[in-house]
């Protein structure tokens, strides 16, 4: 794999792939978005690796829009299906949800209504003031003769429902404009609106024929729905725990890398090679220490003097600590440093020491007064 890479949970990821993935993550800062994108790509890598271990094959499916899965998406779905298994919720689990959320299991209110539209737009439009006056006159006629509503609708309504005597049929919330729905919900069955109702289409004369208020659905009716939601929640939690375990194993034994196309690479991850490089340094710590440049030796020796330990021992302990606790950022820095290195061992130890030991503080001569040198760190 050419080009710079970063390490997330022990998975080596190309920076070009990371830059593309970041676009799918919204976060307060670029650093947070980068971490989220890196974790998502690491999850992809460990799941693809697990699918390979299980010998699974991709069997791509199409969604409801006819879009087909990629090979990687099919493998990830297959491994999760193979590995994640949750128990069905108990009857008490289902009843607990049903009893705790009564408002969530209600049938919507249903109404049957009719209207007469006096339009203020379109081919049948008249002046808005004249339209309101006409609608008010129709309401006046209906107060004494409500039975002629259908005839008046056929004669005066600008809505296609005029041919049906103004009938709108059975309606649920969202089927009609909110202004009409709200007005009908304030009326009694058989009542004609006392005032016309204005919408973007014009003035409406309304009649409420029947109202069936919202009612709580029986438990047996909603039981399958509740069970499906609980099982989905159980599965999501189990999948999250499963992925966390895979990521933990990957970080503890880094060996995976993705290629620039987001596929699992067959190339060896750089980190195991670095483990071997640093591990070999531990076997010959004294001779290795003698080969280090003064810049690195100074940092080690300052720590050795402070803690009363031999420099070789400090360097060995520093290497072990890095191997045991280095985070993704540290591994990324190390890999980047070694990309074009001509002295990989020295450059590796430079990064390790800089990451683990306090920086060397130097003093500078500022003012010489009466034979005494004033310095500041």
């Amino acid at each position: 794999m050419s080009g710079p890479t970063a390490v997330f949970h022990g998975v080596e990821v190309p920076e070009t792939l990371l830059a593309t993935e970041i676009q799918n993550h919204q976060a307060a800062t670029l650093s947070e978005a980068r971490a989220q994108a890196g974790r998502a790509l690491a999850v992809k890598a460990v799941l693809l690796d697990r699918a390979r271990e299980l010998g699974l094959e991709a069997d791509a499916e199409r969604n409801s829009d006819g879009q087909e899965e990629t090979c990687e998406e099919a493998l990830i779905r297959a491994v999760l299906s193979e590995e994640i298994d949750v128990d069905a919720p108990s009857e008490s689990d289902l009843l607990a949800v049903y009893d705790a959320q009564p408002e969530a299991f209600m049938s919507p209110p249903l109404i049957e209504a009719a209207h007469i539209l006096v339009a203020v737009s379109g081919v049948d439009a008249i002046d808005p003031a004249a339209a309101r006056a006409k609608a008010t006159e129709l309401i006046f006629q209906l107060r004494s003769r409500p039975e002629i509503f259908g005839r008046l609708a056929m004669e005066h309504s600008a809505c296609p429902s005029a041919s049906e005597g103004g009938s709108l049929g059975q309606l649920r919330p969202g089927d009609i404009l909110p202004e009409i729905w709200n007005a009908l919900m304030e009326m009694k069955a058989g009542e004609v609106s006392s005032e016309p109702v204005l919408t973007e289409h014009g003035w409406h004369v309304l009649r409420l024929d029947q109202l069936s208020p919202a009612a709580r659905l029986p438990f047996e009716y909603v039981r399958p729905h509740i069970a499906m939601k609980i099982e989905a929640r159980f599965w999501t939690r189990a999948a999250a725990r499963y992925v966390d375990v895979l990521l933990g194993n990957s970080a503890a034994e880094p060996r995976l890398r993705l290629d620039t196309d987001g596929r699992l690479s067959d190339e060896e991850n750089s980190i195991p090679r670095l483990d071997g490089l640093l591990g070999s340094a531990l076997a010959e710590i004294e001779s290795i220490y003698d080969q280090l440049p003064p810049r690195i030796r100074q940092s080690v020796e300052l720590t050795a003097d402070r803690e009363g330990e031999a420099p070789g021992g400090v360097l060995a302990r520093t290497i072990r600590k890095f191997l045991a606790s280095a985070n993704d950022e540290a591994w990324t820095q190390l890999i980047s440093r070694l990309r074009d290195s001509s002295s990989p061992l020295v450059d590796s130890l430079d990064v390790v020491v800089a990451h683990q030991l306090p920086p060397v503080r130097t003093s500078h001569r500022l003012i010489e007064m009466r034979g005494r040198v004033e310095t500041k760190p």
Side-chain angles (χ1 to χ4, degrees), residues 78-323:
V79 74
L80 291 176
S81 177
E82 178 76 16
E83 297 278 82
I84 307 300
D85 188 24
V86 296
D87 295 331
S90 66
E91 198 72 7
S92 60
D93 291 332
L94 303 178
L95 284 168
V97 172
Y98 181 74
D99 292 336
Q101 304 174 33
E103 71 287 347
F105 307 108
M106 303 285 288
S107 64
L110 298 175
I111 60 175
E112 292 183 20
H115 83 141
I116 301 171
L117 170 62
V118 183
V120 295
S121 62
V123 294
D124 297 321
I126 60 175
D127 176 76
R132 189 183 196 288
K134 181 177 178 180
T136 302
E137 172 59 25
L138 293 173
I139 290 175
F140 180 78
Q141 294 182 48
L142 290 167
R143 283 177 183 166
S144 58
R145 300 183 64 191
E147 71 278 0
I148 66 172
F149 190 100
R151 177 170 63 81
L152 292 180
M154 287 187 283
E155 294 174 357
H156 301 286
S157 182
C159 177
S161 64
S163 61
E164 302 292 332
S167 175
L168 296 171
Q170 192 175 74
L171 304 168
R172 295 173 176 240
D175 288 346
I176 52 176
L177 293 169
E179 301 94 322
I180 297 179
W181 178 269
N182 293 336
L184 288 168
M185 291 299 289
E186 296 295 325
M187 295 166 57
K188 297 179 180 178
E191 183 180 358
V192 175
S193 55
S194 59
E195 296 288 341
V197 176
L198 179 64
T199 71
E200 60 190 274
H201 303 295
W203 292 95
H204 301 257
V205 177
L206 303 178
R207 184 185 71 198
L208 177 64
D209 296 329
Q210 187 173 341
L211 169 64
S212 299
R216 194 179 189 195
L217 296 168
F219 172 71
E220 288 304 320
Y221 182 83
V222 298
R223 187 184 185 284
H225 172 73
I226 297 175
M228 183 175 63
K229 290 187 67 174
I230 294 179
E231 286 179 13
R233 187 164 67 244
F234 286 176
W235 190 93
T236 300
R237 290 175 181 172
R241 290 193 296 268
Y242 175 74
V243 166
D244 284 344
V245 170
L246 292 182
L247 287 178
N249 293 339
S250 177
E253 298 180 13
R255 58 187 175 81
L256 302 176
R257 67 192 306 182
L258 293 172
D259 63 23
T260 54
D261 293 324
R263 299 185 181 90
L264 198 60
S265 174
D266 291 328
E267 298 179 23
E268 182 184 0
N269 186 298
S270 300
I271 295 178
R273 298 198 297 273
L274 293 174
D275 281 351
L277 186 67
L278 294 173
S280 66
L282 289 171
E284 303 178 18
I285 197 67
E286 296 299 334
S287 62
I288 292 297
Y289 182 77
D290 291 339
Q291 300 171 29
L292 296 179
R295 171 173 45 82
I296 303 177
R297 290 165 60 102
Q298 185 180 15
S299 182
V300 175
E301 287 168 3
L302 284 173
T303 300
D305 290 343
R306 185 171 59 251
E307 299 182 2
E309 188 177 353
V314 171
L315 181 59
R317 176 162 51 83
T318 301
I319 294 172
R320 292 190 186 96
K321 185 176 180 182
F322 183 91
L323 290 172

Side-chain angles (χ1 to χ4, degrees), residues 12-89:
E12 200 171 348
V13 176
E15 286 286 354
T16 53
L17 180 62
L18 186 63
T20 301
E21 179 64 26
I22 284 177
Q23 301 174 41
N24 300 323
H25 300 269
Q26 300 296 322
T29 66
L30 179 60
S31 177
E32 291 176 1
R34 179 181 171 87
Q36 292 173 11
R39 187 183 192 279
L41 290 170
V43 169
K44 178 179 181 179
V46 297
L47 288 174
L48 289 175
D49 181 61
R50 183 57 179 158
R52 185 164 58 184
E53 290 176 350
L54 295 172
L56 301 177
E57 295 183 1
D59 184 14
E61 296 181 353
R62 292 184 181 274
N63 62 19
S64 57
D65 296 326
Q67 298 172 319
E68 190 174 38
E69 294 175 309
T70 65
C71 177
E72 287 75 23
E73 289 170 340
L75 284 172
I76 288 172
R77 177 176 50 78
V79 74
L80 291 176
S81 177
E82 178 76 16
E83 297 278 82
I84 307 300
D85 188 24
V86 296
D87 295 331

Side-chain angles (χ1 to χ4, degrees), residues 315-343:
L315 181 59
R317 176 162 51 83
T318 301
I319 294 172
R320 292 190 186 96
K321 185 176 180 182
F322 183 91
L323 290 172
S325 62
N327 58 21
D328 291 343
E329 182 179 359
W331 283 116
T332 299
Q333 292 173 355
L334 187 52
I335 291 172
S336 299
R337 178 71 175 273
L338 297 183
R339 185 164 302 281
D340 299 312
S341 173
S342 58
S343 304

